[in-house]
Amino acid sequence: MPEQLAFQSISDDRFSQLRRQAIQFVESRPRQGFQFVERHRDAEFQVHCRGIPVLLLERRSQHLLLRVSLDATQRAPAVVRLRALLQWQLEPLDYLEQVLAGVPEPVLLDRVLQMFAGEVHEGVRCGVL
């Protein structure tokens, strides 16, 4: 279950800036296992770690959705910094707006299960040379 956060809608130009930052993130880490995957040019992109999505930014009609896998800190620690960079530039929806937008909070059980899931195998991690 990914951690999801919703933000205020943004312009096409603003989304393009965030997209460029994600591309730069991936390109600045050659041979570390990261891939930039674009679903819709002005609506959704993902950053994958060895084929596994670890970050997604999606424009929806009323808001922007940022998802990060709960195992990102083990699987791709550098992507946590990318998430922080993207979040810093966005205005979050307040709690009620998040609920109305259907963005679930990470369930405590999901976090507990992640803690006990163990280490991510070295061969599937990104950012480790």
Side-chain angles (χ1 to χ4, degrees):
M1 175 83 165
E3 181 175 7
Q4 300 183 76
L5 299 168
F7 299 89
Q8 301 289 334
S9 292
I10 58 174
S11 68
D12 289 346
D13 288 343
R14 197 76 193 96
F15 189 82
S16 292
Q17 283 181 323
L18 300 176
R19 179 183 166 277
R20 279 193 302 274
Q21 289 172 355
I23 290 171
Q24 288 171 349
F25 169 86
V26 170
E27 289 177 348
S28 70
R29 290 162 176 81
R31 299 180 308 281
Q32 290 188 19
F34 290 105
Q35 300 98 28
F36 177 83
V37 178
E38 191 160 50
R39 297 289 183 213
H40 306 284
R41 181 162 174 83
D42 294 318
E44 180 183 334
F45 65 79
Q46 299 178 5
V47 173
H48 289 196
C49 168
R50 305 198 189 284
I52 306 292
V54 289
L55 181 139
L56 169 135
L57 190 63
E58 177 185 359
R59 285 176 77 183
R60 294 189 172 179
S61 59
Q62 302 297 316
H63 61 278
L64 193 67
L65 185 65
L66 177 63
R67 292 185 194 154
V68 179
S69 65
L70 286 178
D71 69 349
T73 54
Q74 288 99 12
R75 182 178 298 278
V79 91
V80 176
R81 291 191 296 277
L82 175 61
R83 177 191 65 188
L85 174 67
L86 298 176
Q87 268 184 251
W88 174 77
Q89 302 171 73
L90 300 169
E91 186 179 335
L93 296 180
D94 66 31
Y95 178 78
L96 182 57
E97 289 172 318
Q98 295 236 12
V99 170
L100 293 174
V103 177
E105 282 190 81
V107 179
L108 179 60
L109 180 59
D110 292 327
R111 292 193 183 277
V112 170
L113 289 174
Q114 187 60 45
M115 286 180 359
F116 291 109
E119 291 279 324
V120 174
H121 185 268
E122 189 76 24
V124 296
R125 292 181 68 210
C126 293
V128 180
L129 295 176

